[in-house]
Amino acid sequence: MAYITAADLRSYIGATSSSDDTQLGYAATRAQSMIETYTNRIFECPADTTRYYNALDFRYGGNIDAFNNTLQLDFDLCQLTSILNGNGQAIPTNVVVLLPANYTPAYAIKIQMNTSYIWTYTGTPDIAISVTGRFAYSITPPNDIVAACLRLGGFIYRAREGTPDSDRAILSSDGVILQAPRIPTDVQQMLEPYRKRS
């Protein structure tokens, strides 16, 4: 899926003909990729996927905080579907809490204290625990991300013509070379609240 389409970008830049939709589609795809790289996040997830985790404690190189009965995720999780523990037992989703509580996306899954479940495994701990759900910041991209993608897509599209609103250096009237940013400043400001820091 895409945050924006060639038609969205065509409308944004005010073009009336679809003759350049291939280039617009490329600009939209490139903008999305740059946003995901800059923020270290994915902002759309149309279907469930499954990710696997090591059932050992952090102290031994795994993904578990045994003291807090918490599984540390390696990717944003915006919707949990199911959990299969390392011993093959399903952990009901109503006995876990996604962390942080009350916010998405989640970075960890904590088994509630008033249950008998613990993170465990049989055999090898490697990729023993499987978590199925929507691994992304959100199921559909937030409005800010769509706006940033449109702005950046337009920036990339216009750069092919070498216009002043491009990624190329510009010579000012007094002979000073002005280096344009890789990502426009206003786009960076839109993206900054979404930027993931480890």
Side-chain angles (χ1 to χ4, degrees):
M1 297 293 292
Y3 302 166
I4 61 170
T5 64
D8 295 330
L9 191 51
R10 184 183 344 113
S11 176
Y12 176 79
I13 66 170
T16 54
S17 170
S18 61
S19 61
D20 221 9
D21 275 6
T22 299
Q23 287 299 318
L24 289 167
Y26 167 77
T29 300
R30 182 74 183 117
Q32 179 173 328
S33 177
M34 289 174 72
I35 287 169
E36 291 172 354
T37 300
Y38 184 83
T39 61
N40 197 26
R41 287 196 146 116
I42 304 294
F43 294 95
E44 184 175 51
C45 189
D48 281 354
T49 56
T50 301
R51 297 183 76 83
Y52 300 90
Y53 298 92
N54 187 307
L56 290 177
D57 187 81
F58 290 148
R59 294 170 293 173
Y60 307 108
N63 297 103
I64 304 297
D65 176 354
F67 181 76
N68 291 304
N69 212 8
T70 302
L71 171 67
Q72 187 74 35
L73 302 172
D74 63 342
F75 213 79
D76 291 334
L77 176 67
C78 65
Q79 183 176 300
L80 175 64
T81 302
S82 65
I83 306 166
L84 190 63
N85 209 349
N87 62 358
Q89 178 185 39
I91 298 179
T93 56
N94 64 345
V95 303
V96 300
V97 176
L98 298 179
L99 300 178
N102 304 314
Y103 294 96
T104 56
Y107 64 83
I109 302 172
K110 178 178 174 54
I111 297 177
Q112 296 178 30
M113 294 176 65
N114 62 345
T115 73
S116 60
Y117 293 95
I118 60 168
W119 301 108
T120 188
Y121 65 94
T122 302
T124 178
D126 300 311
I127 63 169
I129 299 168
S130 63
V131 177
T132 301
R134 305 287 180 97
F135 284 93
Y137 181 90
S138 53
I139 292 174
T140 58
N143 291 336
D144 290 344
I145 296 301
V146 172
C149 202
L150 286 168
R151 168 68 174 99
L152 185 55
F155 176 85
I156 292 166
Y157 176 75
R158 287 187 292 273
R160 75 195 207 305
E161 298 172 350
T163 60
D165 184 19
S166 77
D167 61 351
R168 298 176 188 173
I170 301 167
L171 187 63
S172 70
S173 58
D174 58 353
V176 176
I177 297 175
L178 305 174
Q179 187 66 41
R182 186 166 182 253
I183 295 178
T185 304
D186 60 323
V187 175
Q188 288 181 356
Q189 290 170 348
M190 284 187 266
L191 297 177
E192 203 57 36
Y194 296 93
R195 199 168 187 187
K196 186 176 183 179
R197 292 172 174 83
S198 50

